[in-house]
Amino acid sequence: MNQKPVSQRSRASRRVLLASALAAVAFSGQLLTTAPGALAYDGPHGGGDWPSSDGPHGGGDRPGSGSKEKEKKEPKAPAVVHGLRDFTADGFFTPPEGVTSVHVQAWGAGGGGGGGGGGASAPLAGNGGQGGGGGAGGFTWCVLKVKPGQSYTVAVGSGGAAGTLGPGAPAGGNDGLPGGTGGTGSPTTFSSAAGIQLSTTGGAGGGGAGGGTATTGTPGTGGTGGAGTCNSLDVTNRSGATGQGGVGAPAVDGIVQLPPANTGVGGNGGGGGTGGTETGGAGSPGGVGGSGYLVVFW
């Protein structure tokens, strides 16, 4: 596990993400701001203002101040410190002083695409089938209580491996061979010394396609999406989509936009090999699933 989180976005992208995150927090009612209030004068008559110049006492100056009224002072609003940390690789998060709760969004890694099947050899003319697309990683958004200065461990999921290609059939009218199934993406987690606080599981790999025969090989099935869980009462969990045909599932649309490209997506399925040739053509391997991602903001 690496000790340093890695970010792949520019400073401008970070500012856009932070602004979006804080806007979402404010919309959800979790961000509280305090405005300074004016100090009122608790005068002898119980009112909040000093007597006016045309009042019953004929003067509007503060008692004991002569002809100059002392300047009223307003209390200062407590400083609200905001920040954002994103993780595209394993690392650690330490809450700054004064931060006792954080918002966390996390995506699990996508599943790998299944491999395409190999084509049949002549006189059989069947092409290999197309591999199934991988499932998308699961998603969670939640508010977690944290302790300033305490270290929290972030593990970012790795995308599922690509399914292997199906070899083409040898000469002599043989069937092509099937492609391999894509790997399952690994989970993304946020943990304290007490254990895992949230987890988003990876999508499943797409199925390998069948080899060509007299007809086209059977396509691979799409991998199912992952899920999200969090140890908090304020939670939004979303399951990843299932891969469709040879196309990997897109990433879950989070509460705040997902900035890194291809994060949490399922890998595409590989294409089938050409049939009807002296030796059948090999299929294509599937695509690797997108890695996980986690962002903390307060």
Side-chain angles (χ1 to χ4, degrees), residues 121-146:
S121 60
L124 300 178
N127 297 327
Q130 187 172 38
F139 170 83
T140 189
W141 154 292
C142 59
V143 179
L144 291 173
K145 293 183 178 180
V146 294

Side-chain angles (χ1 to χ4, degrees), residues 146-180:
V146 294
K147 294 181 179 180
Q150 178 175 317
S151 181
Y152 295 83
T153 302
V154 174
V156 175
S158 298
T164 56
L165 60 84
N174 294 295
D175 296 341
L177 300 179

Side-chain angles (χ1 to χ4, degrees), residues 85-216:
R85 290 283 307 280
D86 62 329
F87 295 84
T88 56
D90 297 346
F92 299 94
F93 171 70
T94 303
E97 187 65 30
V99 174
T100 58
S101 65
V102 293
H103 289 252
V104 184
Q105 287 190 124
W107 285 260
S121 60
L124 300 178
N127 297 327
Q130 187 172 38
F139 170 83
T140 189
W141 154 292
C142 59
V143 179
L144 291 173
K145 293 183 178 180
V146 294
K147 294 181 179 180
Q150 178 175 317
S151 181
Y152 295 83
T153 302
V154 174
V156 175
S158 298
T164 56
L165 60 84
N174 294 295
D175 296 341
L177 300 179
T181 299
T184 298
S186 56
T188 296
T189 60
F190 184 92
S191 306
S192 68
I196 294 176
Q197 302 301 302
L198 68 81
S199 176
T200 52
T201 58
T213 58
T215 59
T216 300

Side-chain angles (χ1 to χ4, degrees), residues 1-129:
M1 180 176 293
N2 298 326
Q3 300 299 312
K4 182 179 181 181
V6 178
S7 173
Q8 298 178 338
R9 297 199 312 280
S10 66
R11 293 182 179 177
S13 298
R14 285 179 177 273
R15 289 196 292 269
V16 171
L17 177 58
L18 178 56
S20 301
L22 295 178
V25 175
F27 180 78
S28 66
Q30 298 300 325
L31 182 61
L32 301 178
T33 58
T34 304
L39 288 177
Y41 166 61
D42 186 13
H45 304 290
D49 296 325
W50 289 100
S52 63
S53 59
D54 58 353
H57 302 290
D61 294 333
R62 183 178 301 186
S65 63
S67 61
K68 294 183 179 180
E69 182 179 347
K70 292 183 179 179
E71 183 181 352
K72 298 178 184 179
K73 293 183 180 181
E74 295 182 346
K76 293 183 179 179
V80 180
V81 180
H82 303 304
L84 181 147
R85 290 283 307 280
D86 62 329
F87 295 84
T88 56
D90 297 346
F92 299 94
F93 171 70
T94 303
E97 187 65 30
V99 174
T100 58
S101 65
V102 293
H103 289 252
V104 184
Q105 287 190 124
W107 285 260
S121 60
L124 300 178
N127 297 327

